[in-house]
Amino acid sequence: MGGPASAIKRRLFELARSMEFLDPVTGCSPLSERALSGLLALYGQQGLIDWRQVPVCRPETLDPAGNLGTFIRSSGSYVTEYPLLHHDNSQERMWGWMAADVMYIPGSSGSLVMFENKVGSDFHYDADPATSQLARQLEYLSDVRKRYERAVLILLTGREFVEANWYKTELAEAL
């Protein structure tokens, strides 16, 4: 994606740098979704993110629907590139080779939260809404839901992408 998406992405990474959302090892700011995910997991694990300050929008309408503090507590773990393990060959074909950008796994109870980080890049897998990347992730969460109070997919993106209606169609079709 070039053009407007690239400009929005650059502004997002510049904002991360200006807010000192930096790698504590190198001092570098994130310049990719993968780096952003890694820092998100690190800062989350260290308790440096106030999830009550991170708004959540309804997927169908993009209207405000609370904040991430509803789902994330301090007693969990964050893992980047978390593999979506499977029980059988059918599940392996559906999501077995996928990984969550960031997975928040609650302590003894709570919500499992899968973060799909999208800041200007395309989704992978099929264009068919029934087997798209988001549909596969939702199916995985549906399968593991019985083990948690809730299983939640968070499409993590910037406000400018939401306002430009990026990802809205893909999310609505997957739902």
Side-chain angles (χ1 to χ4, degrees):
M1 284 185 204
S6 294
I8 294 170
K9 188 182 237 181
R10 272 194 312 278
R11 284 194 298 275
L12 178 69
F13 292 138
E14 287 168 9
L15 179 62
R17 183 177 38 257
S18 73
M19 297 183 74
E20 297 189 13
F21 193 75
L22 307 171
D23 174 25
V25 176
T26 64
C28 294
S29 62
L31 296 175
S32 67
E33 288 177 352
R34 187 171 184 198
L36 193 62
S37 293
L39 290 178
L40 175 75
L42 176 65
Y43 280 120
Q45 192 67 45
Q46 293 178 338
L48 298 174
I49 299 174
D50 183 354
W51 295 110
R52 297 168 301 175
Q53 299 299 313
V54 180
V56 175
C57 298
R58 295 186 190 288
E60 301 87 352
T61 62
L62 300 180
D63 293 333
N67 63 70
L68 271 175
T70 304
F71 307 113
I72 297 178
R73 299 181 181 145
S74 61
S75 63
S77 299
Y78 298 80
V79 182
T80 58
E81 297 299 316
Y82 189 83
L84 305 186
L85 301 179
H86 49 277
H87 294 284
D88 56 38
N89 290 340
S90 174
Q91 289 179 342
E92 181 182 27
R93 282 189 299 279
M94 184 55 92
W95 64 71
W97 297 101
M98 297 178 73
D101 289 339
V102 177
M103 187 76 83
Y104 167 77
I105 304 166
S108 59
S109 66
S111 300
L112 177 74
V113 181
M114 178 190 294
F115 290 91
E116 176 56 36
N117 191 352
K118 285 293 176 205
V119 289
S121 61
D122 291 324
F123 287 103
H124 304 289
Y125 301 95
D126 300 328
D128 180 350
T131 54
S132 68
Q133 178 180 348
L134 288 172
R136 291 167 189 240
Q137 290 167 323
L138 290 169
E139 186 173 324
Y140 170 84
L141 290 172
S142 178
D143 184 70
V144 301
R145 176 160 179 2
K146 56 190 165 276
R147 300 178 53 95
Y148 299 94
E149 290 175 19
R150 287 178 284 206
V152 180
L153 175 64
I154 297 294
L155 179 59
L156 185 65
T157 192
R159 179 184 309 270
E160 287 186 74
F161 287 109
V162 172
E163 290 170 352
N165 283 326
W166 281 86
Y167 310 123
K168 184 178 179 181
T169 302
E170 293 92 338
L171 187 56
E173 288 176 347
L175 289 170

